[in-house]
Amino acid sequence: MAKTPLGLITQTVMLLLLALPARAAVQLTLSSDQGQVGQPFELRLEVTQTRSVIGTPELGPLQQDFNILSNRSVYLTKKRGGHTLFISRWTLSLSPKRAGTLQIPALQVKGEQSQAHNFQAQENPKPKAKPLILKVTIDSTEAYQGSPLSLSVKLYYSLNLQRAELTQPQIKGVRIEQFGDQLSYTESIDQQRYQVIEQKYLLQALKPGHYRIPTLHFNGSDTSAKQLSSRSTPVEFDILPLPHDPNRQIQLVASEVRLEQHWQQPLDNLRAGDTLTRTVILTAHDLPANWLPDISFPAPEGISAYPQPPQLHQSINNGVLVSRKQIDVKLLLTQPGEHLLPGITVVWWDSLRNKQEIAQLAPSEVRVLPFIAEITDPIFANEAALATAAPTTVIPTIAAPTMATSRTTPLSSSTPDTPWQGWVWAAIALICAVGWSLSQQRNSRLTTELKALKQTPKPTAPITPAITDPARQHNSFSALTEACEQNDPELAYRYLFEWAALHWPGMRIRTLEDIEELAQDPTLTYLLKNLQHQLQDPSDSWHGDLLIERIRRLRQKNRQQNRHTPSSSGSIRVTVRD
């Protein structure tokens, strides 16, 4: 008989082992093996297996002698010996129904079962009523990293308090936020009626690990000045790590998350130089508003984004904490074309379903048309309109009676020609001719003045500002700042020229184009065009904070340039323009 090679035997054994079902180890532990009737204790059931096969324990036999107060479950993975172990853990809060030796039966999970345990239940003795009780409870002893835990601090008292001092909970590595207002009500414990003061807190552990809430102390006195004190029992809890996702990092943990956006202006009929306001709102449940994460707003080339300070709001609806973070982003459209604003994604962990979720906003397309070149300086807008409108308004007035007299309207045969009618028509024609001549002369004069202003030579390099009265510069800039912050375009336009005249002394500044040439700042150019557009069409909204922020940067930049500019005789170089 031929011998079986050792390698073939080894492969056969490995195939047989792989064909076997993944066996699970079921372990049951108790927080205590004895207690009183009606008093809760914890039972932990843990299943470790080599395959991700999640089952549910059969709890029916357990309900014969015990009340199931709560049931929480978590799922973990661990590396051991180069292999991945899948751990399913259930934590049950139980209370015995009767006194005596009770048996916790073997609990089954996917065909595997734990060992049975005995529990000694005792009758609940009637304790002596205490005048003061301090209790600290937590809603869960296990939670995922970042999940808010609810901590309740209750003070029970059956006498009149004159003074009360209570230490606040503090835990290293845990954020603690007071939740809601202080509550006052009555409650009975062991047939003793107490007045209750309750304060709730929200806890958020920043790292996984085991945490302990230390003892809290109460000190006070009653109406007879008798000193009173009480202390709580320490509370412990565990924070489990969130499942690791190399592609996405979880930003918050909540029971519900929503992400929405609104546009304060329509996305159509936009032009270069316009501003657009985008409002993004992040809403989360069971999380304080100041724990909501920051949101980034990337913008493509051709659009500048200016996020404003966030607005936080939180409220309690049907016992649920609802928090909202609203951010207004002002977008400055600097280049025409088709632009795609990137979408926004918030990765979060669902604390109710124990799974990763994503809230996101789709990318938005923004079509920007070229800027329409119009009259540069609104001061001459009315005169330019009058100059261009004069021929079209005066000439038809002259032509109408002339045509009616000479060609269109013959004299009626019943009305004989009289000498005075001819003189009347001649006078009318003479008056119209004189009016047309005067209007043409005025039109020509205005056109010449406007053309001379347009053809004034402008510098091709930035101008170094001269030293002027610092107080006047400060007052002028303050007035411009106030006008921009009030979103008043007319007042901002007025103080803009006053500030520019002080900032560039000796320069002839008559139009917004003059300021553009002196500043040599493309972004400021579009903001000035936006101001000009607002003055000509006040129906659009205008945001002056963008303009004043750009001017503030310009002032700072020029101060830095002057600080590093060499001077031969200690004087400041000034360029004067005719």
Side-chain angles (χ1 to χ4, degrees), residues 261-286:
Q261 71 177 354
H262 305 287
W263 301 92
Q264 294 186 3
Q265 298 99 336
L267 294 182
D268 54 352
N269 199 26
L270 296 173
R271 295 191 177 274
D274 290 348
T275 55
L276 185 65
T277 302
R278 178 188 192 185
T279 300
V280 176
I281 301 175
L282 176 63
T283 305
H285 290 188
D286 297 323

Side-chain angles (χ1 to χ4, degrees), residues 437-574:
S437 177
L438 292 176
S439 65
Q440 283 291 86
Q441 292 178 5
R442 184 175 183 273
N443 180 25
S444 177
R445 179 176 55 83
L446 290 176
T447 303
T448 303
E449 291 179 359
L450 287 174
K451 184 179 299 184
L453 289 175
K454 295 292 183 179
Q455 294 177 352
T456 302
K458 299 177 176 61
T460 58
I463 305 303
T464 303
I467 294 179
T468 58
D469 185 0
R472 289 188 60 194
Q473 285 193 6
H474 176 75
N475 294 337
S476 176
F477 182 73
S478 299
L480 175 60
T481 301
E482 183 177 357
C484 290
E485 290 178 349
Q486 294 177 357
N487 298 325
D488 189 336
E490 296 182 356
L491 201 59
Y493 178 84
R494 170 187 170 186
Y495 287 119
L496 176 63
F497 279 90
E498 180 180 322
W499 168 82
L502 294 172
H503 188 72
W504 290 288
M507 309 303 294
R508 184 179 182 183
I509 302 175
R510 296 287 300 274
T511 67
L512 292 177
E513 283 186 353
D514 296 338
I515 300 178
E516 295 172 12
E517 291 291 339
L518 290 170
Q520 293 291 303
D521 188 325
T523 302
L524 181 60
T525 296
Y526 282 105
L527 291 172
L528 293 178
K529 292 184 183 298
N530 181 42
L531 173 62
Q532 174 185 323
H533 176 72
Q534 176 65 22
L535 291 170
Q536 296 173 350
D537 185 7
S539 61
D540 295 341
S541 60
W542 182 70
H543 303 285
D545 52 349
L546 301 180
L547 176 61
I548 194 61
E549 177 63 25
R550 203 65 194 178
I551 293 178
R552 188 177 288 110
R553 293 185 182 182
L554 177 65
R555 295 175 73 231
Q556 183 179 3
K557 177 181 178 182
N558 287 346
R559 281 198 295 265
Q560 293 176 352
Q561 290 179 350
N562 293 335
R563 193 177 298 118
H564 297 89
T565 299
S567 178
S568 58
S569 60
S571 61
I572 304 299
R573 178 174 60 89
V574 181

Side-chain angles (χ1 to χ4, degrees), residues 143-154:
Y144 283 108
Q145 177 183 355
S147 298
L149 294 173
S150 178
L151 181 72
S152 175
V153 179
K154 293 183 180 180

